[in-house]
Amino acid sequence: MKLTYLGHAAVIIEEGKFKGIIDPFISGNPLANINLDELSDVTHIFVTHGHGDHIGDTVDIAKQSGALVIANAEISAYLSNFNIKTHAMHIGGRTKFDFGIVKMTNALHGSGISDNGNMIYGGNPGGFIIHINSNKVYHAGDTGLTLDMKLLEDENIDVAFLPIGGNYTMDIDDAVKAVDFIKPKTVIPFHYNTFDLIKANPEEFKNKVKLSNVEILNINESVFI
């Protein structure tokens, strides 16, 4: 399995014929270094919540690639207005797809969708556990620290993507506690340094984590598991 970090919370997961992208915030992302036409082979798009820096370029990518969008019911209903394929889930739901199994986890955040100056209800924010073959990847979405993360230890997560930027999400210290709760084999920090409000030093996070391997990925850098 190949995991590629695109900046902010955008991550690509590739395994066989599956190519999924999570929270595809590309246009308008000062850290992104990829063109949308490079994502024409995406098969699935995962959206953790409705904020513009996460729903991002979902519509454009889905239209050019024909990808299936997996999101909560409210976001799925909103996106279906753009004539793209969606699959609605909700917190705690676990579903088998042709590529593997997906479970939605809860997140402590918001999910409003900005639409032409109006704020549309975007349902509950969430995260995803994506289980393909023998690998489990957890993408927390935007979230604060929650005791529910202790339950994720039972999932035996191989790689966890956790936000560390603070202000809108967990900061470094809370993310370290989240690692202690989840106990993933590897953790990759995200959602930092995109904007001034979420500046953080990933090396500080790495130095504080004791129980898991920490991989700090540069933009467009990949790891294999």
Side-chain angles (χ1 to χ4, degrees):
M1 178 182 285
K2 180 181 179 182
L3 307 174
T4 304
Y5 179 54
L6 302 182
H8 203 54
V11 174
I12 292 176
I13 302 175
E14 297 176 81
E15 173 73 12
K17 295 180 179 180
F18 170 83
K19 184 174 182 179
I21 186 169
I22 306 171
D23 287 354
F25 176 46
I26 309 300
S27 302
N29 179 355
L31 299 182
N33 188 24
I34 189 172
N35 296 318
L36 293 185
D37 57 10
E38 297 177 63
L39 300 171
S40 60
D41 58 346
V42 165
T43 60
H44 295 78
I45 302 171
F46 300 82
V47 180
T48 64
H49 63 288
H51 293 165
D53 57 334
H54 293 262
I55 201 170
D57 299 288
T58 293
V59 172
D60 288 339
I61 296 170
K63 282 187 173 181
Q64 75 174 357
S65 67
L68 174 69
V69 181
I70 300 171
N72 70 27
E74 291 78 8
I75 293 173
S76 295
Y78 168 78
L79 292 174
S80 65
N81 294 321
F82 296 92
N83 296 316
I84 58 180
K85 297 182 295 183
T86 65
H87 179 97
M89 296 186 67
H90 249 309
I91 307 303
R94 193 192 312 263
T95 300
K96 186 175 182 179
F97 294 88
D98 57 355
F99 61 85
I101 298 171
V102 176
K103 182 178 181 179
M104 278 202 76
T105 62
N106 67 334
L108 300 179
H109 199 60
S111 186
I113 304 168
S114 181
D115 184 80
N116 294 320
N118 298 314
M119 188 63 72
I120 299 173
Y121 177 60
N124 293 323
F128 291 101
I129 297 173
I130 301 171
H131 186 187
I132 303 176
N133 295 330
S134 61
N135 295 313
K136 279 189 180 181
V137 177
Y138 168 55
H139 187 293
D142 279 10
T143 186
L145 179 67
T146 167
L147 277 172
D148 288 349
M149 290 175 175
K150 282 183 173 288
L151 297 174
L152 298 181
E153 181 181 355
D154 293 338
E155 295 283 351
N156 296 312
I157 301 296
D158 291 290
V159 178
F161 286 87
L162 300 180
I164 66 167
N167 196 74
Y168 300 111
T169 69
M170 296 185 289
D171 60 11
I172 286 173
D173 289 337
D174 278 357
V176 171
K177 292 179 182 177
V179 175
D180 290 343
F181 289 168
I182 301 165
K183 294 181 175 57
K185 295 181 180 69
T186 297
V187 60
I188 300 173
F190 73 90
H191 207 276
Y192 65 93
N193 292 350
T194 319
F195 316 110
D196 286 342
L197 274 174
I198 58 171
K199 282 191 174 297
N201 182 355
E203 292 291 345
E204 178 186 347
F205 172 71
K206 183 175 183 176
N207 291 335
K208 289 184 175 182
V209 171
K210 304 303 180 185
L211 300 178
S212 299
N213 174 53
V214 178
E215 292 281 353
I216 299 171
L217 298 185
N218 296 317
I219 306 304
N220 290 351
E221 186 176 4
S222 303
V223 293
F224 294 85
I225 61 172

